[in-house]
Amino acid sequence: MLSRAARSASRTLVPAPGSRGSRQKHSLPDLPYDYGALEPHISAQIMQLHHSKHHATYVNNLNAVEEKYLEALEKGELLEAIKRDFGSFDKFKEKLTAVSVGVQGSGWGWLGFNKDQGRLQIAACSNQDPLQGTTGLIPLLGIDVWEHAYYLQYKNVRPDYLKAIWNVINWENVTERYMACKK
C-alpha cells in the first residue's frame, strides 16, 4: 500500500497550462484518515477506489464543466461585440472576407480592436505592414493573403481559400486576445 504522502502526490490535480483567469481549479481533498481505517467494515481497497478514482472523476468533471462555462462566457462576449460592431456574425465574415479578397498583391486581412473606441474593426495591410503600427488596432485575427498561404491548393482563386479559412480559425485564441486587450 502507498504511504499517505505518495497517495497524496499521485492524485494532486493541477491547473491546465493556459487555464483562464485566476480561478483556482478544484482539487481532490485528502481523507482525514488512512484508506484502511474503516476495516474490517469497509476495505482499504474500496476506500482507495472510491476516493482516488470515483471522487477524483467528480472533481475533474467539475473542473471541465467550469472551464467550458468560462469559455462560453468569453466566446459569448466576443460574439456580442461582433454583433454590436458588424450587425451579425455573417456580416462580419462577409466584410472581413471582402476586405481580404481586395488586398492587392500580398498582405493581410485583419480583425482588430480599437482600444480608444472599445470597438472591433476590420482592416487590411499590404505586404508586411504591421496592423498596430499602421492603424493603431490591436490584432485579434489575421488572415494571410500572400499567395504562398494558398497557391498550391487554391491556385490563384483567393476567394475559395478565404471561404475555407473560416473552418480552421482558432476562436479560442481570438477570444483570449480580445479578453486580454479589453483589460
Side-chain angles (χ1 to χ4, degrees):
M1 180 174 226
L2 294 172
S3 71
R4 182 179 207 75
R7 281 196 321 270
S8 181
S10 69
R11 63 177 187 262
T12 300
L13 303 177
V14 297
S19 62
R20 290 174 169 73
S22 60
R23 180 185 74 82
Q24 293 292 317
K25 289 198 172 208
H26 301 280
S27 61
L28 183 66
D30 286 333
L31 291 176
Y33 49 85
D34 190 70
Y35 288 142
L38 302 178
E39 288 191 353
H41 309 290
I42 300 174
S43 75
Q45 184 179 11
I46 288 174
M47 290 301 297
Q48 182 176 11
L49 176 67
H50 180 76
H51 185 253
S52 66
K53 299 292 184 206
H54 298 297
H55 192 174
T57 298
Y58 299 139
V59 171
N60 289 334
N61 287 343
L62 175 60
N63 285 325
V65 166
E66 287 187 352
E67 185 71 19
K68 287 183 181 177
Y69 176 71
L70 184 58
E71 286 175 12
L73 287 177
E74 290 177 353
K75 286 179 183 167
E77 201 168 327
L78 175 61
L79 183 57
E80 288 306 311
I82 287 171
K83 289 177 182 177
R84 177 196 68 214
D85 296 337
F86 302 105
S88 70
F89 183 81
D90 287 338
K91 288 179 183 175
F92 153 71
K93 187 175 165 181
E94 289 171 16
K95 185 172 182 181
L96 183 53
T97 298
V99 165
S100 300
V101 166
V103 172
Q104 294 298 309
S106 299
W108 294 79
W110 290 100
L111 171 64
F113 182 72
N114 183 320
K115 198 150 181 111
D116 293 336
Q117 296 178 7
R119 300 187 79 72
L120 301 174
Q121 289 182 245
I122 290 173
C125 293
S126 298
N127 304 314
Q128 306 95 322
D129 294 352
L131 179 68
Q132 197 162 3
T134 57
T135 66
L137 299 176
I138 300 168
L140 302 179
L141 168 64
I143 300 177
D144 184 353
V145 291
W146 286 60
E147 282 190 345
H148 69 253
Y150 61 89
Y151 193 80
L152 288 176
Q153 186 170 357
Y154 295 95
K155 305 298 181 232
N156 62 345
V157 189
R158 187 183 284 176
D160 287 354
Y161 159 70
L162 290 166
K163 182 178 178 186
I165 200 71
W166 292 98
N167 296 310
V168 296
I169 291 173
N170 182 342
W171 288 107
E172 183 177 337
N173 180 268
V174 177
T175 299
E176 287 171 0
R177 290 170 179 268
Y178 174 67
M179 298 306 287
C181 71
K182 285 183 47 181
K183 293 179 181 176

